[in-house]
Amino acid sequence: MADTATDAAPDRNWNRGGLPGWAYHNEALLALEMDELFKTHWQIIGHVNDVPNPGDFITFDVGPERAMVVRGEDGQCRAFHNLCRHRGSRVVAAQGGHCVNAIVCPFHGWVYNFDGSLRGVARPDSYPGIDKSKLGLAPIELEIWMGFMFIRFSPGPQGSVKDYLAPYAPEFALHQPETLVPVGKPHFSDIEVNWKSVRDVDNEGYHVPIAHPALQDLYGFNYKDYAYGPGLSVAKGVFAPNSGRRWSVRNYTRLTQPIPGLPADRHHLWSYFGLFPNNVFFLGPEAVYFYQEIPTRVNHSVVRFSVYRYPTETRRQKLARYLMARIDRDTFEEDRQLSIWSNESMKSSAFEDFHLSDLEISVRRHHDQLRKVLPVVNLASPPPAAEMAGRNAALRAARAGCAVDA
Ligand code: FES
Ligand SMILES: [Fe+2]
């Protein structure tokens, strides 16, 4: 099933380069990425326990699209465009919350049921002959897998979440994911770089010994990357109990306490499960996270981050979770700086290419998936903006017999 960091590159002559620098600074490519990646690939929006009651909702924005999931009176979760059919206002303004009785648009007061149907318009006497049945909220594809909710704005190459993430299912199931309880709402961190620079830094452990003192103290060199399939990248770090020199690590490894039923080989394991192109789950003994890089501009991204705890959490586990978050926060800030340096280097006259180690093969794998969907990034220089989408489509068509399996 899995291979180790070094086994992951059995052919030592793999291409160690990265995407061309222009791909990180090109407006037309970002527009293409919105259409070919972010609208057509699954995005995690949250967990069913983010919306436990009828009228509860959670939202998700990417590019020009804005989505919401709301739980209906019948207990079903449904995804819709967060867009009023009257004049396009958001129908819910917050990142998450609860609607009492109905969804009421804040612009002119159109009222929607939790199943998305239009219940009524304000001043109905001003709408002779209106057909309310044609003006419900526009639905979005939603799939629930292991308690997590995924949305997709348009059909794409990934198939169902259940099939696509099947290689992850046995390990996820051990963490009892359906029972997870959200710790607050998703939170957001801005990074002034292209989303791919954030992903590149996050996608390898070669930098951990130098760049992340706390992570290195926690799992040292017991960190490996694994390949579970196209678009699926996994990394695992094993730590020793009662170890570490730093205050946060020493106390975390002392207090860590797995949930009942978790097999022994996961008691001291931090594991990361990627979902192409931009989603990562983190599974730990005390918590599960997900995070995703969302492009906002060509040189600006938002990292959306959600934390879930186990329902049986003890006081000791809560403390361990706090310490885990502290280690993770330090790591994130260190990665932020590395993302900025990597990204700005691509505008330098000295930037030539990446020269990736075997320990960075997940970066290359991610780039290879991007190359399948966006073969235009194989060009050494960018096509004119007006030709970006056309050139990409032509290159994809020319790749006869080579299916996109991103
Ligand atoms: S835009 Fe929603 S009621 Fe007018
Ligand atoms: Fe890092």
Side-chain angles (χ1 to χ4, degrees), residues 201 207 212 331 335:
V201 169
H207 69 289
H212 295 315
T331 304
D335 278 341

Side-chain angles (χ1 to χ4, degrees), residues 125-295:
D125 51 322
S126 67
Y127 280 106
I130 189 170
D131 185 353
K132 289 190 292 189
S133 71
K134 291 193 166 68
L135 292 170
L137 297 174
I140 296 172
E141 188 178 8
L142 169 73
E143 185 173 339
I144 298 170
W145 178 81
M146 299 254 168
F148 287 97
M149 303 186 293
F150 298 75
I151 56 163
R152 184 164 60 172
F153 293 97
S154 308
Q158 287 180 316
S160 74
V161 175
K162 182 168 180 280
D163 290 345
Y164 195 70
L165 296 188
Y168 291 171
E171 287 174 83
F172 267 63
L174 299 172
H175 289 260
Q176 304 158 30
E178 282 94 351
T179 69
L180 292 167
V181 178
V183 180
K185 299 268 186 291
H187 56 271
F188 298 82
S189 294
D190 296 272
I191 303 190
E192 301 284 333
V193 296
N194 184 269
W195 71 277
K196 296 187 292 298
S197 293
V198 186
R199 182 95 313 274
D200 284 352
V201 169
D202 192 62
N203 243 344
E204 48 91 0
Y206 186 41
H207 69 289
V208 168
I210 297 296
H212 295 315
L215 275 193
Q216 176 66 7
D217 197 22
L218 180 69
Y219 43 62
F221 293 101
N222 297 318
Y223 173 97
K224 284 181 179 169
D225 293 304
Y226 301 81
Y228 282 38
L232 304 177
S233 55
V234 179
K236 298 179 184 180
V238 178
F239 60 90
N242 298 303
S243 66
R245 290 193 302 275
R246 297 169 72 90
W247 179 86
S248 56
V249 175
R250 200 171 62 245
N251 283 292
Y252 173 71
T253 60
R254 180 173 63 84
L255 289 168
T256 183
Q257 187 183 47
I259 51 168
L262 193 67
D265 64 352
R266 302 192 74 84
H267 286 192
H268 304 108
L269 177 69
W270 284 19
S271 51
Y272 307 82
F273 291 80
L275 164 60
F276 183 82
N278 66 321
N279 306 274
V280 178
F281 283 101
F282 166 85
L283 271 55
E286 292 84 14
V288 172
Y289 304 166
F290 74 75
Y291 56 95
Q292 56 208 151
E293 302 87 33
I294 301 171

